[in-house]
Amino acid sequence: MRSVTDAVDLLRTASPAAVDVFTRILTRGPLSRTDVARLTGLSQAAITKAVAPMIAAGLVADHHDSAANGNGLPGRPASPVRVVPESLVTLGIKVNPGDIIGVATDVTAGILVTAHLAVVDTGFAAMVDAIADVVQRLRELLGDRAERLAGICVAVSGDVDTVGGVVRESALLGWADEPLGAALHERLGTEVLIENDVRALTIAEHWFGVGVGTSSFAIVTIGSGIGCGLHVNGEVVEGAFGVAGEIGHLPLTSEQYVCTCGRRGCVEAVASSSAIVRAVASAQSTPVATIDDAVALAHAGEPAAVEAFDRAGTVIGTAIATVANLTGPEIVVITGEAVADYDLYDQRLRAAFGAHAFGAAGNCRIVIRPHTFEDWARGAAAAALRALVLQRYAGLGAAPKDTEHTLRGSSAPA
Amino acid sequence: MRSVTDAVDLLRTASPAAVDVFTRILTRGPLSRTDVARLTGLSQAAITKAVAPMIAAGLVADHHDSAANGNGLPGRPASPVRVVPESLVTLGIKVNPGDIIGVATDVTAGILVTAHLAVVDTGFAAMVDAIADVVQRLRELLGDRAERLAGICVAVSGDVDTVGGVVRESALLGWADEPLGAALHERLGTEVLIENDVRALTIAEHWFGVGVGTSSFAIVTIGSGIGCGLHVNGEVVEGAFGVAGEIGHLPLTSEQYVCTCGRRGCVEAVASSSAIVRAVASAQSTPVATIDDAVALAHAGEPAAVEAFDRAGTVIGTAIATVANLTGPEIVVITGEAVADYDLYDQRLRAAFGAHAFGAAGNCRIVIRPHTFEDWARGAAAAALRALVLQRYAGLGAAPKDTEHTLRGSSAPA
């Protein structure tokens, strides 16, 4: 196999048409060159020309080759091509208040190795250290495969400026305007992509999950936060200013409920795990410290606990109706840690959705799908790959930064 | 100039790449073939090959040709090309409860002629007659130019199934499940596209207005209804089931307000013109019959009228924050007949937007832009053109329907 630099350089310099070709083979392959031509609207000759260097760089192979050795011979139009899963490795890290989960995946988002690290101090400096430790652990676990490392992405909940690598606001972590990308770059000596966690999960679903063959979908996460990833018109919705899918902060409940973000009437003010715990605790004589306590009380029929989950289910269903009325997804996938106790939300959620979905928007399918924390980390790994393929991120193993910047280097900071 | 059939057939059979080339020239031209290659990611040779039949069919011309005569000579890469405005004509009809406005436009959405018809009976059969009359009037006004007619679109407010040509629900017109497309097809002997009016306006803005050079935008209409058109990831959001942008029916106000759609808490239940009139009338001893009466009372400082507009401004601002938090538009354009009295909404609208926009989503620019009813009809004409270009609609002047259908004709309804 060629060096990872060849593959990364090819992706970095690919034309928009070649990017389209690679993406189709990645997400829909194995595909014949004829099918790629049909899907992209390019000529067969253009496909053959675009695929040849991908085969030479070891990114793509003829499907029936026993070894993905990239012999570089032009294939016949009907001979199917596929990506070579082991050609590139990306790392995805999901940061939670209590722990950090990291995975290394191949090009098809298949998990190769996993690393967990429990953390106590969620302060920014301590978390940067912990993330760096997880990256180091994943490299060790990968062994020789670490040579094929092409990108790292860290996923954080909250308002994330992906372009600047800044976590602008993360209520869960208690961070505001933290330059996570720059800090990790300095620490690891390599560029690291920072992404909102729900958007990263949506990217993985778009390329490797529910999004394949679906015109539009939404992922709704319930648990410590209430989030949403949207996929519309062939792409994940990113927002002109990096904010999109913020259903946790739609003003869909009464103004009497104040959110941790400071706003009034937010969905999270009644539907986040901590809001539910607060509501149940205020009505109990015995202490209620965790969401598990609240779940146990609700299952036991304790009225205040039942009411708290009812209120949460109602506002989440209303939020999903809002998403449906505005963007009209084909499928809504509900996931997140609270899915384990989905029975407590289901009835009110569906009733509120039914009451507020407008016309045919109510036809969207609502499915429940548990995601593990590894799945979230895998989302970050998929986001690193996507940023590389879409040329929004130089990645690891890349050639030195473009010469124009180097020539101007005299005025750059050291 | 070649016959309109040549141009329409070319668009009907164009490859996806050729559609992309034509769309770029249409919306961004004049453009050199080099620029088209850069924008589409196709090779210069592919551009030259794609443009040649467009020139031959009279759809595109070299920019510096004094006459758009389509000489079919391949141009040099740097020589700019542009669409020929007069190559095709489309009709756009906007249906209101009190009148029907029709325009004929050229390929660049330039209005050629206009026709108005006041209507009293909004029943379905009478409206079909009235729409047919407006089409006939536009044909007469066009004279010889009617030969270049390539498509007709009728825009209606409400839940419209564009694929089936059915108005599923239009509270304003009092229609439910009306087969407008089929009725007009029978009446006019030609296929007619049916589109939601706000989406049609969004299509026109996408190709010929604020959308040119903007990554994402929303159009919010205020007046007899509250609507929204969204443009995200390079395309208008249509919704998997034909419903999108329904901000009028987001549950953002108190459950005490019942909407004309039957749901509770909808934006329209307090912010539509009729809701405002109802609220003001219930507090007055003198009759308040129209929105103009309510506006006059609010301008005179009558407390109930001021409060009604305040409540409307608040819920509209909240709805715009909801759109921003979910889809992150770069610009929000507020339009619709109530824009004439925008001073009554402004303060509360901006305050509510500021209170509920999440993080950087609040950076989106809110601009006020009056649209005339001709602009709405022009939106429908642009929607007819877009459907033709994107091959979702056979259009007028097209060759007979595809042979497969004709061969199966024995089982088709007469």
Side-chain angles (χ1 to χ4, degrees), chain A residues 42 230 232-233 235 240 245-246 249 251 263 318 325-326 328 357-358, chain B residues 42 230 232-233 235 240 245-246 249 251 263-264 318 325-326 328 357-358:
Chain A
L42 298 168
L230 289 168
V232 173
N233 289 334
E235 261 306 332
E246 279 294 350
H249 302 283
R263 294 173 189 82
T318 307
N325 293 358
L326 273 184
F358 185 74
Chain B
L42 298 168
L230 289 167
V232 173
N233 289 334
E235 261 306 332
E246 279 294 349
H249 302 282
R263 293 173 190 83
R264 291 185 167 271
T318 307
N325 293 359
L326 272 186
F358 185 75

PDB file of all heavy atoms in Angstrom, chain A residues 42 230 232-233 235 240 245-246 249 251 263 318 325-326 328 357-358, chain B residues 42 230 232-233 235 240 245-246 249 251 263-264 318 325-326 328 357-358:
ATOM      1  N   LEU A  42     -21.602  12.437 -14.370  1.00  0.00           N
ATOM      2  CA  LEU A  42     -20.362  12.610 -15.145  1.00  0.00           C
ATOM      3  C   LEU A  42     -20.280  11.496 -16.193  1.00  0.00           C
ATOM      4  O   LEU A  42     -20.972  10.480 -16.107  1.00  0.00           O
ATOM      5  CB  LEU A  42     -19.154  12.534 -14.208  1.00  0.00           C
ATOM      6  CG  LEU A  42     -19.088  13.619 -13.125  1.00  0.00           C
ATOM      7  CD1 LEU A  42     -18.029  13.280 -12.078  1.00  0.00           C
ATOM      8  CD2 LEU A  42     -18.780  14.976 -13.756  1.00  0.00           C
ATOM      9  N   LEU A 230     -29.545  17.800  11.863  1.00  0.00           N
ATOM     10  CA  LEU A 230     -30.448  17.833  10.713  1.00  0.00           C
ATOM     11  C   LEU A 230     -29.684  17.519   9.435  1.00  0.00           C
ATOM     12  O   LEU A 230     -28.572  18.013   9.231  1.00  0.00           O
ATOM     13  CB  LEU A 230     -31.062  19.221  10.567  1.00  0.00           C
ATOM     14  CG  LEU A 230     -32.086  19.643  11.602  1.00  0.00           C
ATOM     15  CD1 LEU A 230     -32.364  21.136  11.472  1.00  0.00           C
ATOM     16  CD2 LEU A 230     -33.365  18.847  11.404  1.00  0.00           C
ATOM     17  N   VAL A 232     -30.486  17.802   5.413  1.00  0.00           N
ATOM     18  CA  VAL A 232     -31.446  18.334   4.443  1.00  0.00           C
ATOM     19  C   VAL A 232     -30.723  18.634   3.136  1.00  0.00           C
ATOM     20  O   VAL A 232     -29.585  19.122   3.156  1.00  0.00           O
ATOM     21  CB  VAL A 232     -32.075  19.653   4.981  1.00  0.00           C
ATOM     22  CG1 VAL A 232     -32.949  20.313   3.931  1.00  0.00           C
ATOM     23  CG2 VAL A 232     -32.893  19.396   6.243  1.00  0.00           C
ATOM     24  N   ASN A 233     -31.356  18.359   2.021  1.00  0.00           N
ATOM     25  CA  ASN A 233     -30.780  18.667   0.706  1.00  0.00           C
ATOM     26  C   ASN A 233     -29.373  18.099   0.544  1.00  0.00           C
ATOM     27  O   ASN A 233     -28.459  18.775   0.079  1.00  0.00           O
ATOM     28  CB  ASN A 233     -30.774  20.191   0.455  1.00  0.00           C
ATOM     29  CG  ASN A 233     -32.176  20.742   0.224  1.00  0.00           C
ATOM     30  OD1 ASN A 233     -33.063  20.022  -0.209  1.00  0.00           O
ATOM     31  ND2 ASN A 233     -32.378  22.011   0.530  1.00  0.00           N
ATOM     32  N   GLU A 235     -27.006  17.282   2.628  1.00  0.00           N
ATOM     33  CA  GLU A 235     -25.893  17.596   3.524  1.00  0.00           C
ATOM     34  C   GLU A 235     -26.385  17.828   4.949  1.00  0.00           C
ATOM     35  O   GLU A 235     -27.548  18.157   5.160  1.00  0.00           O
ATOM     36  CB  GLU A 235     -25.155  18.868   3.049  1.00  0.00           C
ATOM     37  CG  GLU A 235     -23.879  18.603   2.253  1.00  0.00           C
ATOM     38  CD  GLU A 235     -22.895  17.694   2.995  1.00  0.00           C
ATOM     39  OE1 GLU A 235     -22.889  17.671   4.233  1.00  0.00           O
ATOM     40  OE2 GLU A 235     -22.133  16.986   2.313  1.00  0.00           O
ATOM     41  N   ALA A 240     -25.171  29.077   9.134  1.00  0.00           N
ATOM     42  CA  ALA A 240     -24.243  30.081   8.600  1.00  0.00           C
ATOM     43  C   ALA A 240     -23.252  30.540   9.670  1.00  0.00           C
ATOM     44  O   ALA A 240     -22.128  30.939   9.353  1.00  0.00           O
ATOM     45  CB  ALA A 240     -25.029  31.278   8.060  1.00  0.00           C
ATOM     46  N   GLY A 245     -29.858  23.140  14.629  1.00  0.00           N
ATOM     47  CA  GLY A 245     -30.410  21.997  15.363  1.00  0.00           C
ATOM     48  C   GLY A 245     -30.487  22.195  16.870  1.00  0.00           C
ATOM     49  O   GLY A 245     -30.596  21.239  17.619  1.00  0.00           O
ATOM     50  N   GLU A 246     -30.476  23.439  17.338  1.00  0.00           N
ATOM     51  CA  GLU A 246     -30.480  23.694  18.786  1.00  0.00           C
ATOM     52  C   GLU A 246     -31.892  23.585  19.347  1.00  0.00           C
ATOM     53  O   GLU A 246     -32.444  24.550  19.875  1.00  0.00           O
ATOM     54  CB  GLU A 246     -29.882  25.067  19.086  1.00  0.00           C
ATOM     55  CG  GLU A 246     -28.366  25.081  19.094  1.00  0.00           C
ATOM     56  CD  GLU A 246     -27.749  24.255  20.229  1.00  0.00           C
ATOM     57  OE1 GLU A 246     -28.490  23.820  21.141  1.00  0.00           O
ATOM     58  OE2 GLU A 246     -26.520  24.029  20.177  1.00  0.00           O
ATOM     59  N   HIS A 249     -32.889  24.646  23.029  1.00  0.00           N
ATOM     60  CA  HIS A 249     -33.114  26.033  23.409  1.00  0.00           C
ATOM     61  C   HIS A 249     -34.205  26.689  22.562  1.00  0.00           C
ATOM     62  O   HIS A 249     -34.188  27.900  22.342  1.00  0.00           O
ATOM     63  CB  HIS A 249     -31.789  26.804  23.382  1.00  0.00           C
ATOM     64  CG  HIS A 249     -30.784  26.167  24.296  1.00  0.00           C
ATOM     65  ND1 HIS A 249     -30.824  26.317  25.654  1.00  0.00           N
ATOM     66  CD2 HIS A 249     -29.788  25.289  24.045  1.00  0.00           C
ATOM     67  CE1 HIS A 249     -29.870  25.581  26.220  1.00  0.00           C
ATOM     68  NE2 HIS A 249     -29.229  24.945  25.261  1.00  0.00           N
ATOM     69  N   PRO A 251     -38.002  27.944  22.596  1.00  0.00           N
ATOM     70  CA  PRO A 251     -38.857  28.385  23.706  1.00  0.00           C
ATOM     71  C   PRO A 251     -40.233  27.728  23.638  1.00  0.00           C
ATOM     72  O   PRO A 251     -41.220  28.379  23.343  1.00  0.00           O
ATOM     73  CB  PRO A 251     -38.935  29.891  23.490  1.00  0.00           C
ATOM     74  CG  PRO A 251     -38.742  30.082  22.024  1.00  0.00           C
ATOM     75  CD  PRO A 251     -37.899  28.942  21.529  1.00  0.00           C
ATOM     76  N   ARG A 263     -31.844  31.541  29.466  1.00  0.00           N
ATOM     77  CA  ARG A 263     -33.073  31.921  28.758  1.00  0.00           C
ATOM     78  C   ARG A 263     -34.289  31.293  29.446  1.00  0.00           C
ATOM     79  O   ARG A 263     -34.153  30.381  30.248  1.00  0.00           O
ATOM     80  CB  ARG A 263     -32.984  31.475  27.299  1.00  0.00           C
ATOM     81  CG  ARG A 263     -31.905  32.210  26.514  1.00  0.00           C
ATOM     82  CD  ARG A 263     -31.711  31.655  25.117  1.00  0.00           C
ATOM     83  NE  ARG A 263     -30.542  32.253  24.497  1.00  0.00           N
ATOM     84  CZ  ARG A 263     -29.290  31.840  24.709  1.00  0.00           C
ATOM     85  NH1 ARG A 263     -29.057  30.823  25.516  1.00  0.00           N
ATOM     86  NH2 ARG A 263     -28.287  32.451  24.127  1.00  0.00           N
ATOM     87  N   THR A 318     -43.254  18.188  21.216  1.00  0.00           N
ATOM     88  CA  THR A 318     -43.543  19.488  20.606  1.00  0.00           C
ATOM     89  C   THR A 318     -42.334  19.964  19.796  1.00  0.00           C
ATOM     90  O   THR A 318     -42.481  20.512  18.693  1.00  0.00           O
ATOM     91  CB  THR A 318     -43.898  20.507  21.705  1.00  0.00           C
ATOM     92  OG1 THR A 318     -44.940  19.968  22.518  1.00  0.00           O
ATOM     93  CG2 THR A 318     -44.360  21.826  21.112  1.00  0.00           C
ATOM     94  N   ASN A 325     -42.379  20.475  11.119  1.00  0.00           N
ATOM     95  CA  ASN A 325     -43.090  21.549  10.422  1.00  0.00           C
ATOM     96  C   ASN A 325     -42.133  22.458   9.667  1.00  0.00           C
ATOM     97  O   ASN A 325     -42.468  23.005   8.621  1.00  0.00           O
ATOM     98  CB  ASN A 325     -43.898  22.385  11.421  1.00  0.00           C
ATOM     99  CG  ASN A 325     -45.052  21.602  12.047  1.00  0.00           C
ATOM    100  OD1 ASN A 325     -45.274  20.452  11.707  1.00  0.00           O
ATOM    101  ND2 ASN A 325     -45.766  22.235  12.952  1.00  0.00           N
ATOM    102  N   LEU A 326     -40.924  22.634  10.213  1.00  0.00           N
ATOM    103  CA  LEU A 326     -39.961  23.539   9.572  1.00  0.00           C
ATOM    104  C   LEU A 326     -39.161  22.873   8.464  1.00  0.00           C
ATOM    105  O   LEU A 326     -38.942  23.474   7.417  1.00  0.00           O
ATOM    106  CB  LEU A 326     -38.989  24.103  10.608  1.00  0.00           C
ATOM    107  CG  LEU A 326     -39.425  25.360  11.334  1.00  0.00           C
ATOM    108  CD1 LEU A 326     -38.320  25.838  12.249  1.00  0.00           C
ATOM    109  CD2 LEU A 326     -39.800  26.460  10.349  1.00  0.00           C
ATOM    110  N   GLY A 328     -39.378  19.229   7.560  1.00  0.00           N
ATOM    111  CA  GLY A 328     -39.992  18.084   6.888  1.00  0.00           C
ATOM    112  C   GLY A 328     -39.125  16.855   6.715  1.00  0.00           C
ATOM    113  O   GLY A 328     -39.035  16.322   5.609  1.00  0.00           O
ATOM    114  N   ALA A 357     -47.862  18.540  14.808  1.00  0.00           N
ATOM    115  CA  ALA A 357     -47.337  18.329  13.452  1.00  0.00           C
ATOM    116  C   ALA A 357     -48.376  18.827  12.457  1.00  0.00           C
ATOM    117  O   ALA A 357     -49.572  18.572  12.617  1.00  0.00           O
ATOM    118  CB  ALA A 357     -47.038  16.854  13.227  1.00  0.00           C
ATOM    119  N   PHE A 358     -47.913  19.553  11.442  1.00  0.00           N
ATOM    120  CA  PHE A 358     -48.835  20.202  10.508  1.00  0.00           C
ATOM    121  C   PHE A 358     -48.994  19.362   9.241  1.00  0.00           C
ATOM    122  O   PHE A 358     -48.022  19.097   8.529  1.00  0.00           O
ATOM    123  CB  PHE A 358     -48.318  21.598  10.157  1.00  0.00           C
ATOM    124  CG  PHE A 358     -49.265  22.388   9.288  1.00  0.00           C
ATOM    125  CD1 PHE A 358     -50.429  22.927   9.830  1.00  0.00           C
ATOM    126  CD2 PHE A 358     -49.017  22.572   7.937  1.00  0.00           C
ATOM    127  CE1 PHE A 358     -51.307  23.640   9.038  1.00  0.00           C
ATOM    128  CE2 PHE A 358     -49.886  23.296   7.135  1.00  0.00           C
ATOM    129  CZ  PHE A 358     -51.043  23.834   7.699  1.00  0.00           C
TER     130      PHE A 358
ATOM    131  N   LEU B  42     -16.250  20.810 -13.297  1.00  0.00           N
ATOM    132  CA  LEU B  42     -16.122  20.027 -14.530  1.00  0.00           C
ATOM    133  C   LEU B  42     -14.946  20.559 -15.342  1.00  0.00           C
ATOM    134  O   LEU B  42     -14.467  21.673 -15.107  1.00  0.00           O
ATOM    135  CB  LEU B  42     -17.412  20.133 -15.350  1.00  0.00           C
ATOM    136  CG  LEU B  42     -18.679  19.578 -14.670  1.00  0.00           C
ATOM    137  CD1 LEU B  42     -19.926  19.996 -15.437  1.00  0.00           C
ATOM    138  CD2 LEU B  42     -18.597  18.059 -14.568  1.00  0.00           C
ATOM    139  N   LEU B 230     -37.431  28.307   3.305  1.00  0.00           N
ATOM    140  CA  LEU B 230     -36.063  28.080   3.776  1.00  0.00           C
ATOM    141  C   LEU B 230     -35.178  27.652   2.626  1.00  0.00           C
ATOM    142  O   LEU B 230     -35.581  26.836   1.789  1.00  0.00           O
ATOM    143  CB  LEU B 230     -36.045  26.960   4.820  1.00  0.00           C
ATOM    144  CG  LEU B 230     -36.653  27.258   6.171  1.00  0.00           C
ATOM    145  CD1 LEU B 230     -36.834  25.966   6.949  1.00  0.00           C
ATOM    146  CD2 LEU B 230     -35.739  28.221   6.926  1.00  0.00           C
ATOM    147  N   VAL B 232     -31.401  26.037   2.285  1.00  0.00           N
ATOM    148  CA  VAL B 232     -30.310  25.449   3.064  1.00  0.00           C
ATOM    149  C   VAL B 232     -29.534  24.476   2.182  1.00  0.00           C
ATOM    150  O   VAL B 232     -30.138  23.751   1.398  1.00  0.00           O
ATOM    151  CB  VAL B 232     -30.878  24.680   4.286  1.00  0.00           C
ATOM    152  CG1 VAL B 232     -29.788  23.923   5.025  1.00  0.00           C
ATOM    153  CG2 VAL B 232     -31.590  25.619   5.242  1.00  0.00           C
ATOM    154  N   ASN B 233     -28.220  24.448   2.312  1.00  0.00           N
ATOM    155  CA  ASN B 233     -27.383  23.506   1.559  1.00  0.00           C
ATOM    156  C   ASN B 233     -27.649  23.571   0.052  1.00  0.00           C
ATOM    157  O   ASN B 233     -27.767  22.548  -0.621  1.00  0.00           O
ATOM    158  CB  ASN B 233     -27.576  22.069   2.069  1.00  0.00           C
ATOM    159  CG  ASN B 233     -26.961  21.862   3.447  1.00  0.00           C
ATOM    160  OD1 ASN B 233     -26.023  22.560   3.819  1.00  0.00           O
ATOM    161  ND2 ASN B 233     -27.482  20.911   4.205  1.00  0.00           N
ATOM    162  N   GLU B 235     -30.211  24.483  -1.747  1.00  0.00           N
ATOM    163  CA  GLU B 235     -31.524  24.269  -2.346  1.00  0.00           C
ATOM    164  C   GLU B 235     -32.629  24.749  -1.419  1.00  0.00           C
ATOM    165  O   GLU B 235     -32.432  24.875  -0.215  1.00  0.00           O
ATOM    166  CB  GLU B 235     -31.750  22.773  -2.635  1.00  0.00           C
ATOM    167  CG  GLU B 235     -31.505  22.348  -4.071  1.00  0.00           C
ATOM    168  CD  GLU B 235     -32.301  23.178  -5.067  1.00  0.00           C
ATOM    169  OE1 GLU B 235     -33.376  23.686  -4.736  1.00  0.00           O
ATOM    170  OE2 GLU B 235     -31.815  23.329  -6.208  1.00  0.00           O
ATOM    171  N   ALA B 240     -39.804  16.127   3.111  1.00  0.00           N
ATOM    172  CA  ALA B 240     -39.973  14.794   2.528  1.00  0.00           C
ATOM    173  C   ALA B 240     -41.424  14.545   2.139  1.00  0.00           C
ATOM    174  O   ALA B 240     -41.701  13.773   1.225  1.00  0.00           O
ATOM    175  CB  ALA B 240     -39.503  13.724   3.519  1.00  0.00           C
ATOM    176  N   GLY B 245     -41.137  24.757   6.470  1.00  0.00           N
ATOM    177  CA  GLY B 245     -41.247  26.197   6.712  1.00  0.00           C
ATOM    178  C   GLY B 245     -42.591  26.630   7.286  1.00  0.00           C
ATOM    179  O   GLY B 245     -42.950  27.807   7.215  1.00  0.00           O
ATOM    180  N   GLU B 246     -43.328  25.712   7.895  1.00  0.00           N
ATOM    181  CA  GLU B 246     -44.674  26.059   8.398  1.00  0.00           C
ATOM    182  C   GLU B 246     -44.582  26.770   9.750  1.00  0.00           C
ATOM    183  O   GLU B 246     -45.075  26.272  10.761  1.00  0.00           O
ATOM    184  CB  GLU B 246     -45.534  24.796   8.497  1.00  0.00           C
ATOM    185  CG  GLU B 246     -46.148  24.374   7.184  1.00  0.00           C
ATOM    186  CD  GLU B 246     -47.179  25.369   6.630  1.00  0.00           C
ATOM    187  OE1 GLU B 246     -47.578  26.296   7.359  1.00  0.00           O
ATOM    188  OE2 GLU B 246     -47.546  25.216   5.461  1.00  0.00           O
ATOM    189  N   HIS B 249     -47.678  27.513  12.086  1.00  0.00           N
ATOM    190  CA  HIS B 249     -48.287  26.499  12.940  1.00  0.00           C
ATOM    191  C   HIS B 249     -47.285  25.888  13.914  1.00  0.00           C
ATOM    192  O   HIS B 249     -47.415  24.737  14.298  1.00  0.00           O
ATOM    193  CB  HIS B 249     -49.007  25.470  12.067  1.00  0.00           C
ATOM    194  CG  HIS B 249     -50.038  26.110  11.206  1.00  0.00           C
ATOM    195  ND1 HIS B 249     -51.265  26.503  11.685  1.00  0.00           N
ATOM    196  CD2 HIS B 249     -49.987  26.533   9.915  1.00  0.00           C
ATOM    197  CE1 HIS B 249     -51.944  27.095  10.720  1.00  0.00           C
ATOM    198  NE2 HIS B 249     -51.196  27.139   9.632  1.00  0.00           N
ATOM    199  N   PRO B 251     -46.096  25.788  17.719  1.00  0.00           N
ATOM    200  CA  PRO B 251     -46.844  26.062  18.962  1.00  0.00           C
ATOM    201  C   PRO B 251     -46.063  26.983  19.886  1.00  0.00           C
ATOM    202  O   PRO B 251     -45.558  26.569  20.920  1.00  0.00           O
ATOM    203  CB  PRO B 251     -47.025  24.663  19.561  1.00  0.00           C
ATOM    204  CG  PRO B 251     -45.868  23.876  19.044  1.00  0.00           C
ATOM    205  CD  PRO B 251     -45.461  24.472  17.723  1.00  0.00           C
ATOM    206  N   ARG B 263     -55.544  23.649  15.711  1.00  0.00           N
ATOM    207  CA  ARG B 263     -54.530  23.361  16.727  1.00  0.00           C
ATOM    208  C   ARG B 263     -54.462  24.517  17.730  1.00  0.00           C
ATOM    209  O   ARG B 263     -54.956  25.619  17.477  1.00  0.00           O
ATOM    210  CB  ARG B 263     -53.165  23.153  16.063  1.00  0.00           C
ATOM    211  CG  ARG B 263     -53.117  21.904  15.200  1.00  0.00           C
ATOM    212  CD  ARG B 263     -51.816  21.782  14.412  1.00  0.00           C
ATOM    213  NE  ARG B 263     -51.924  20.711  13.428  1.00  0.00           N
ATOM    214  CZ  ARG B 263     -52.475  20.839  12.229  1.00  0.00           C
ATOM    215  NH1 ARG B 263     -52.969  22.012  11.838  1.00  0.00           N
ATOM    216  NH2 ARG B 263     -52.544  19.811  11.407  1.00  0.00           N
ATOM    217  N   ARG B 264     -53.799  24.269  18.856  1.00  0.00           N
ATOM    218  CA  ARG B 264     -53.693  25.279  19.907  1.00  0.00           C
ATOM    219  C   ARG B 264     -52.284  25.866  19.956  1.00  0.00           C
ATOM    220  O   ARG B 264     -51.311  25.151  19.784  1.00  0.00           O
ATOM    221  CB  ARG B 264     -54.016  24.648  21.270  1.00  0.00           C
ATOM    222  CG  ARG B 264     -55.463  24.265  21.404  1.00  0.00           C
ATOM    223  CD  ARG B 264     -55.812  23.746  22.779  1.00  0.00           C
ATOM    224  NE  ARG B 264     -57.267  23.704  22.900  1.00  0.00           N
ATOM    225  CZ  ARG B 264     -57.989  24.735  23.328  1.00  0.00           C
ATOM    226  NH1 ARG B 264     -57.405  25.843  23.727  1.00  0.00           N
ATOM    227  NH2 ARG B 264     -59.306  24.636  23.383  1.00  0.00           N
ATOM    228  N   THR B 318     -40.173  35.257  18.118  1.00  0.00           N
ATOM    229  CA  THR B 318     -39.872  33.947  18.699  1.00  0.00           C
ATOM    230  C   THR B 318     -39.783  32.893  17.595  1.00  0.00           C
ATOM    231  O   THR B 318     -38.905  32.018  17.617  1.00  0.00           O
ATOM    232  CB  THR B 318     -40.966  33.567  19.724  1.00  0.00           C
ATOM    233  OG1 THR B 318     -41.099  34.635  20.668  1.00  0.00           O
ATOM    234  CG2 THR B 318     -40.612  32.294  20.466  1.00  0.00           C
ATOM    235  N   ASN B 325     -32.304  29.068  15.375  1.00  0.00           N
ATOM    236  CA  ASN B 325     -31.693  28.037  16.224  1.00  0.00           C
ATOM    237  C   ASN B 325     -31.664  26.684  15.517  1.00  0.00           C
ATOM    238  O   ASN B 325     -30.743  25.888  15.727  1.00  0.00           O
ATOM    239  CB  ASN B 325     -32.462  27.903  17.539  1.00  0.00           C
ATOM    240  CG  ASN B 325     -32.335  29.143  18.412  1.00  0.00           C
ATOM    241  OD1 ASN B 325     -31.658  30.096  18.053  1.00  0.00           O
ATOM    242  ND2 ASN B 325     -33.001  29.140  19.546  1.00  0.00           N
ATOM    243  N   LEU B 326     -32.670  26.431  14.680  1.00  0.00           N
ATOM    244  CA  LEU B 326     -32.735  25.123  14.013  1.00  0.00           C
ATOM    245  C   LEU B 326     -31.917  25.071  12.740  1.00  0.00           C
ATOM    246  O   LEU B 326     -31.248  24.078  12.487  1.00  0.00           O
ATOM    247  CB  LEU B 326     -34.189  24.776  13.676  1.00  0.00           C
ATOM    248  CG  LEU B 326     -34.989  24.061  14.746  1.00  0.00           C
ATOM    249  CD1 LEU B 326     -36.342  23.664  14.198  1.00  0.00           C
ATOM    250  CD2 LEU B 326     -34.253  22.822  15.239  1.00  0.00           C
ATOM    251  N   GLY B 328     -30.051  27.979  11.236  1.00  0.00           N
ATOM    252  CA  GLY B 328     -28.912  28.890  11.138  1.00  0.00           C
ATOM    253  C   GLY B 328     -28.789  29.684   9.855  1.00  0.00           C
ATOM    254  O   GLY B 328     -27.725  29.713   9.241  1.00  0.00           O
ATOM    255  N   ALA B 357     -32.800  33.673  20.479  1.00  0.00           N
ATOM    256  CA  ALA B 357     -31.772  33.190  19.538  1.00  0.00           C
ATOM    257  C   ALA B 357     -30.618  32.633  20.364  1.00  0.00           C
ATOM    258  O   ALA B 357     -30.195  33.232  21.358  1.00  0.00           O
ATOM    259  CB  ALA B 357     -31.297  34.321  18.635  1.00  0.00           C
ATOM    260  N   PHE B 358     -30.107  31.462  19.958  1.00  0.00           N
ATOM    261  CA  PHE B 358     -29.094  30.773  20.757  1.00  0.00           C
ATOM    262  C   PHE B 358     -27.701  31.070  20.208  1.00  0.00           C
ATOM    263  O   PHE B 358     -27.393  30.779  19.048  1.00  0.00           O
ATOM    264  CB  PHE B 358     -29.360  29.269  20.733  1.00  0.00           C
ATOM    265  CG  PHE B 358     -28.432  28.487  21.623  1.00  0.00           C
ATOM    266  CD1 PHE B 358     -28.598  28.510  23.006  1.00  0.00           C
ATOM    267  CD2 PHE B 358     -27.382  27.756  21.090  1.00  0.00           C
ATOM    268  CE1 PHE B 358     -27.744  27.792  23.838  1.00  0.00           C
ATOM    269  CE2 PHE B 358     -26.524  27.037  21.913  1.00  0.00           C
ATOM    270  CZ  PHE B 358     -26.699  27.057  23.289  1.00  0.00           C
TER     271      PHE B 358
END
